[in-house]
Amino acid sequence: MKIAVEGCMHGDLDNVYATLLHLEKVENTKIDLLICCGDFQAVRNENDLESLNVKPKFRAMNSFWKYYSGQEIAPFPTIFIGGNHEASNYLWELYYGGWTAPNIYFLGFAGVIKFGNIRIGGLSGIYNARHYHLGHYERPPYNESDIRSIYHVREYDVYKLMQVEEPIDIFLSHDWPVGITDYGNWQQLVRFKPYFEQEIKEKTLGSKAAADLLEKLKPPYWFSAHLHCKFAASVQHGENGPVTKFLALDKCLPGRKFLQIVDIPSEPGPYEIQYDEEWLAITRKFNSIFPLTRNTTWLGSVQLDKQDREWVKSKLATRGPKPFDFVQTVPPYNPNQSTSRASCSGQSRNPQTVSLLQLLELPYLLDAAAESKHSPMPYTSKHIDEAASDGDNDDAVTDDVDEIELPEDDVDT
């Protein structure tokens, strides 16, 4: 199976697909799948731009809307995770994962799917200790604080991924696992990115959550983006243990290293994206503790058992493993029509999410009013101390990794 891996998409689907089609032609090969490691920017119309954490002068429709509207069709099955520059209102509709456009699948805030016999897992967003232990409290329309915290990784989503026991073949994260630079040529990296050196030496460059998942899951391949450079590493998990090949890629710009073709052993095709049985069982079991407030997350003592898995297996045997069909939920951008950009006033229920939750016999919890409908979980003194140490308050300065000072050609736009 030939998989194309792309770093930060930044909404430039036309150029990425054109590059891959050209590559297929000149190398007489066939690409089976495109994977994007975040900052995909699934912007459907002008209203979505208001939920995109990008300075207003840099906000642009780019090309995703063409694929959402059906004007263009993705030439390759495409799977992506979220980064720190996304149309967060749209991705929240698809928290559990789903089609953002025909042939373009979002893995969800955390997720695992199958493509043929290859299992692909992913974690959206970037790590920030201040928000890590909190619930998913943000709802559109986002204020200046929430538009920057909505994409911060939450402990709950990582905890679900930590329950995965069956082997993962490929894992995706937007920011790098902290400490990954120890396993590659970091000296060469800092020659091109000297402002990384201090964080590398202090072990603060990257995501602690991703590092925990790397240690637990030990996938053969791990792909990331975010820092706008190509970096490779090889992690040996213990003596004579499995090896993870790590690769981070750049953003889509001329002359930048933003694409890599990887040949992965697999069963012969044709291939299609399918739900993963183990992941749906985890999703169903842990939805009862889905945290939706600013309070420190209480994960309790929920555990997956054999009956949970058998229940999902029975459901998929009856219904089939293909994800529910794509459905437009808002009108697409029309470049020939002058529109006034009205503020996003609320959130629609995506039929894909509704159908998946009905299949799993779960309640819908993503509404704007969800926070007020659910009482906080009980806390121990440990939880209270952790919340205090995070120093979370509305007036605090957000010290995101995405706010480090980069040279002009590296600034996220």
Side-chain angles (χ1 to χ4, degrees):
M1 182 187 298
K2 289 193 182 298
I3 298 178
V5 184
E6 197 271 337
C8 297
M9 181 72 77
H10 287 258
D12 202 1
L13 283 72
D14 283 352
N15 281 331
V16 171
Y17 288 140
T19 301
L20 291 174
L21 289 169
H22 175 73
L23 187 66
E24 278 193 326
K25 183 177 180 180
V26 298
E27 296 196 3
N28 191 28
T29 189
K30 180 182 182 300
I31 295 168
D32 298 296
L33 175 68
L34 170 63
I35 287 173
C36 175
C37 301
D39 285 357
F40 191 80
Q41 297 188 10
V43 176
R44 302 164 293 178
N45 56 32
E46 290 174 307
N47 285 341
D48 282 353
L49 291 173
E50 294 193 356
S51 295
L52 182 68
N53 182 37
V54 173
K55 292 180 180 179
K57 67 178 180 179
F58 292 127
R59 289 176 179 171
M61 288 304 304
N62 295 319
S63 57
F64 171 79
W65 64 270
K66 299 177 187 177
Y67 300 85
Y68 175 79
S69 68
Q71 178 179 322
E72 301 284 351
I73 299 295
F76 315 98
T78 301
I79 295 171
F80 75 95
I81 57 168
N84 56 304
H85 299 297
E86 303 291 356
S88 297
N89 60 323
Y90 188 24
L91 298 192
W92 180 248
E93 283 183 23
L94 297 168
Y95 168 84
Y96 301 93
W99 303 106
T100 57
N103 221 25
I104 300 176
Y105 193 87
F106 172 49
L107 262 180
F109 279 55
V112 180
I113 55 90
K114 295 180 72 175
F115 186 71
N117 67 317
I118 301 297
R119 292 186 86 207
I120 302 172
L123 177 67
S124 291
I126 62 171
Y127 179 77
N128 183 300
R130 289 180 56 247
H131 296 108
Y132 182 63
H133 298 289
L134 308 185
H136 287 286
Y137 63 85
E138 302 91 346
R139 301 289 184 277
Y142 304 114
N143 59 34
E144 285 298 311
S145 174
D146 291 358
I147 200 173
R148 293 163 59 87
S149 64
I150 176 65
Y151 54 75
H152 288 158
V153 169
R154 303 300 155 93
E155 183 182 21
Y156 169 73
D157 300 309
V158 175
Y159 186 68
K160 288 193 297 178
L161 287 165
M162 293 289 280
Q163 311 308 308
V164 173
E165 296 295 338
E166 295 179 3
I168 296 283
D169 299 292
I170 297 171
F171 198 85
L172 313 177
S173 66
H174 188 55
D175 48 354
W176 306 6
V178 69
I180 195 68
T181 47
D182 292 346
Y183 300 92
N185 192 343
W186 68 266
Q187 293 90 347
Q188 182 184 45
L189 174 64
V190 299
R191 282 201 290 272
F192 294 98
K193 305 277 188 177
Y195 37 90
F196 289 170
E197 184 168 7
Q198 182 177 351
E199 289 179 275
I200 289 173
K201 291 181 176 179
E202 294 175 349
K203 305 289 186 186
T204 57
L205 183 69
S207 166
K208 183 182 182 300
D212 291 342
L213 287 167
L214 174 60
E215 182 179 358
K216 168 65 166 63
L217 300 174
K218 301 177 177 63
Y221 298 91
W222 187 297
F223 302 120
S224 296
H226 189 46
L227 297 181
H228 298 168
C229 60
K230 184 175 183 179
F231 180 78
S234 181
V235 181
Q236 175 85 48
H237 298 281
E239 187 176 354
N240 300 320
V243 173
T244 296
K245 295 178 181 179
F246 173 84
L247 180 66
L249 292 166
D250 208 331
K251 61 180 174 179
C252 178
L253 284 176
R256 305 288 275 268
K257 297 175 181 179
F258 64 92
L259 272 175
Q260 182 84 30
I261 308 299
V262 180
D263 204 342
I264 295 180
S266 68
E267 295 176 353
Y271 310 109
E272 64 178 8
I273 294 171
Q274 296 184 344
Y275 287 133
D276 182 84
E277 184 182 298
E278 183 186 25
W279 181 250
L280 289 190
I282 291 169
T283 297
R284 184 171 187 264
K285 188 72 172 185
F286 289 86
N287 208 61
S288 63
I289 58 168
F290 191 174
L292 295 164
T293 75
R294 293 175 180 267
N295 294 317
T296 301
T297 300
W298 183 76
L299 297 173
S301 57
V302 178
Q303 291 186 333
L304 199 66
D305 55 39
K306 185 178 180 180
Q307 287 72 28
D308 298 315
R309 184 67 179 270
E310 290 299 319
W311 189 93
V312 170
K313 183 177 182 179
S314 174
K315 283 285 187 178
L316 291 182
T318 301
R319 189 253 168 202
K322 292 181 65 174
F324 291 94
D325 292 339
F326 166 73
V327 180
Q328 286 188 7
T329 51
V330 297
Y333 172 67
N334 184 347
N336 300 316
Q337 181 177 329
S338 177
T339 59
S340 59
R341 190 181 300 171
S343 295
C344 175
S345 59
Q347 189 73 7
S348 60
R349 289 190 172 191
N350 194 298
Q352 295 177 75
T353 301
V354 171
S355 296
L356 176 62
L357 292 173
Q358 288 175 347
L359 173 69
L360 298 178
E361 298 181 7
L362 294 173
Y364 189 98
L365 303 177
L366 305 179
D367 287 329
E371 183 170 351
S372 63
K373 291 179 181 177
H374 292 79
S375 300
M377 296 291 185
Y379 302 104
T380 65
S381 58
K382 174 179 178 288
H383 294 131
I384 296 170
D385 291 342
E386 285 178 346
S389 66
D390 278 345
D392 186 63
N393 62 75
D394 290 340
D395 299 323
V397 176
T398 304
D399 53 348
D400 299 344
V401 172
D402 52 316
E403 294 304 312
I404 59 176
E405 290 298 321
L406 299 175
E408 187 64 29
D409 68 336
D410 266 338
V411 173
D412 276 336
T413 60

